[in-house]
Amino acid sequence: MPNTGSSCTETSASQGPPLWLLAELTYRCPLQCPYCSNPLDFAQYKTELSTSEWIDVFTQARALGAAQLGFSGGEPLVREDLVELIAAARDLGYYTNLISSGMGLTQAKLEAFRDAGLDHIQISFQASDEQVNNLLAGSRKAFEQKLAMARAVKAAGYPMVLNFVTHRHNIDQIERIIELCLALEADFVELATCQYYGWAHLNRAGLLPTKAQLDHAEAVTNRYRAQLEAEGHPCKLIFVTPDYYEERPKGCMNGWGNIFLSITPDGTALPCHSARQLPVSFPSVKEHSLSHIWYDSFGFNRFRGYDWMPEPCRSCDEKERDFGGCRCQAYMLTGDASQADPVCSKSPHHHKILAARAEAEQPQPPIEALTFRNERTSRIICKG
């Protein structure tokens, strides 16, 4: 068995178990969203874990302490063994969550998922407007399919959980988005402004909203929150501000390798779903046990704790709250994953965030000018 090179015995000895397992079953997807968090070079990763390999991953993670399991992608619905995987997860005692675009979902599949024990389904939309939604998705029938499946999910008795990724091309329609969610009888709505990883980072200049757009959207959301609360309405609105408009970074993933474990389609284990882009060697479940990966591998111990931190993070009195911010963001913006997250105003690289905000205030090209996530574009990126 190859050695994964950990020398962080003190950190691994004090590390708690993973609690949340994300199974990225596939990078295949019928949509072409220009803000997808999948790797830019996803086309080079064709191998996917088999049904039995995935079930072995679920079994090992459950033994370590993982309690919640998310099925993600790409689009997890393209996996023909999804019902079998859901049933196996249920038998192991997981709370299971299907994170889907709704494309490929049918009434028959919904019934099969329910019978297999699926607990939760989240459907994503690109916009409240059919034309914008379909343009961003790269499918002329996406909006119609999503509406139908959202209603079917509700009728099947699942919690109605909707996700709208907001950006400069749809955030001004926030009121219409919320009204659509209410019409669909949503229980939870995540209005998640783009976080700039993967394809969203590639398209950042065309996606980052202006400060005025963001402030307006948050004000509208707060107004609806107050109204819904006063009426005793069950719908909960969650508004996620992009890191780029913060002065302090979020505690990314509750700390590196702290509670979150992601397995990619080919079996690479990651401490967050975006970490594959980092110049760090991450282990594979095909070569190592999850126990070794979680507690002893170099990749998972690389940014655990505080010893790895340079200044200004090392002496910062907020480091136990934000853990130095996002390692992927630090790498994308500075070329060095050990740097302070440039979102932090204390970072010597904070000017890069200020420059991005200033760029967002300038006129930007239309949606059609964005680089869309698809196999052809990914293959070009693979070639460099």
Side-chain angles (χ1 to χ4, degrees):
M1 179 179 290
N3 189 320
T4 52
S6 174
S7 60
C8 306
T9 54
E10 182 177 347
T11 301
S12 61
S14 61
Q15 175 60 45
L19 300 178
W20 211 101
L21 174 64
L22 180 68
E24 291 189 283
L25 300 179
T26 181
Y27 286 142
R28 291 174 288 158
C29 183
L31 302 186
Q32 304 183 59
C33 307
Y35 47 76
C36 181
S37 62
N38 285 168
L40 297 180
D41 58 353
F42 74 86
Q44 74 176 342
Y45 301 108
K46 294 296 186 183
T47 303
E48 295 178 5
L49 295 182
S50 67
T51 305
S52 61
E53 287 173 325
W54 273 118
I55 293 174
D56 183 51
V57 167
F58 301 164
T59 303
Q60 290 187 61
R62 188 77 181 102
L64 288 177
Q68 184 160 327
L69 170 56
F71 297 104
S72 180
E75 174 48 68
L77 289 168
V78 305
R79 287 280 302 214
E80 295 182 359
D81 58 355
L82 185 52
V83 171
E84 186 176 352
L85 295 177
I86 292 169
R90 162 59 67 176
D91 290 343
L92 288 165
Y94 281 103
Y95 182 90
T96 52
N97 178 21
L98 176 63
I99 304 166
S100 173
S101 68
M103 302 303 291
L105 191 58
T106 64
Q107 186 64 46
K109 286 183 179 180
L110 270 177
E111 293 172 4
F113 296 159
R114 182 181 55 199
D115 293 343
L118 183 66
D119 294 296
H120 182 285
I121 301 176
Q122 175 183 295
I123 300 290
S124 64
F125 278 79
Q126 281 68 39
S128 59
D129 174 88
E130 182 172 11
Q131 182 178 2
V132 174
N133 186 100
N134 293 349
L135 183 57
L136 286 164
S139 169
R140 290 179 294 176
K141 297 183 178 180
F143 189 70
E144 180 182 348
Q145 167 71 7
K146 289 171 182 288
L147 285 179
M149 288 304 101
R151 294 182 179 115
V153 166
K154 183 73 175 183
Y158 286 103
M160 168 57 69
V161 183
L162 301 179
N163 173 268
F164 280 79
V165 177
T166 60
H167 43 79
R168 70 182 300 121
H169 297 289
N170 67 1
I171 198 168
D172 291 333
Q173 284 76 50
I174 195 73
E175 186 165 357
R176 291 173 59 188
I177 289 174
I178 295 173
E179 287 291 343
L180 174 61
C181 294
L182 295 176
L184 291 171
E185 300 181 85
D187 298 293
F188 298 92
V189 178
E190 184 177 33
L191 303 166
T193 315
C194 261
Q195 302 296 327
Y196 295 94
Y197 307 97
W199 294 82
H201 184 255
L202 180 68
N203 286 306
R204 189 188 70 192
L207 293 172
L208 185 65
T210 66
K211 184 64 163 58
Q213 284 183 302
L214 187 66
D215 288 346
H216 174 260
E218 190 164 16
V220 169
T221 303
N222 287 337
R223 173 166 56 82
Y224 269 94
R225 278 178 179 154
Q227 178 183 330
L228 294 172
E229 184 176 349
E231 296 172 354
H233 197 287
C235 182
K236 305 298 182 186
L237 302 177
I238 302 168
F239 189 87
V240 182
T241 304
D243 289 358
Y244 276 60
Y245 284 105
E246 302 285 0
E247 294 302 314
R248 292 289 184 273
K250 297 180 177 68
C252 188
M253 312 308 296
N254 289 294
W256 178 275
N258 190 25
I259 63 172
F260 183 86
L261 170 62
S262 179
I263 308 298
T264 67
D266 65 0
T268 301
L270 302 173
C272 84
H273 62 277
S274 296
R276 191 165 209 160
Q277 67 188 302
L278 300 180
V280 175
S281 178
F282 291 105
S284 170
V285 298
K286 292 184 176 183
E287 299 176 348
H288 303 279
S289 70
L290 274 189
S291 179
H292 170 80
I293 288 170
W294 181 256
Y295 290 109
D296 301 315
S297 69
F298 174 79
F300 275 75
N301 280 301
R302 175 64 180 89
F303 298 111
R304 274 178 173 153
Y306 310 105
D307 290 345
W308 62 270
M309 290 182 173
E311 296 295 350
C313 296
R314 183 181 288 268
S315 59
C316 180
D317 60 3
E318 298 179 76
K319 67 183 180 184
E320 295 182 9
R321 183 161 56 248
D322 62 33
F323 312 104
C326 176
R327 298 302 88 222
C328 299
Q329 200 153 253
Y331 177 70
M332 287 186 296
L333 293 173
T334 74
D336 181 355
S338 67
Q339 287 289 316
D341 187 337
V343 163
C344 184
S345 61
K346 299 179 183 180
S347 165
H349 299 282
H350 187 60
H351 64 277
K352 295 178 183 290
I353 294 294
L354 299 181
R357 294 180 195 171
E359 183 181 45
E361 298 297 328
Q362 304 303 313
Q364 298 296 335
I367 294 176
E368 293 85 350
L370 297 173
T371 301
F372 286 80
R373 175 218 187 269
N374 54 55
E375 286 270 346
R376 179 178 179 276
T377 303
S378 182
R379 284 196 296 270
I380 293 172
I381 291 171
C382 289
K383 295 177 181 177

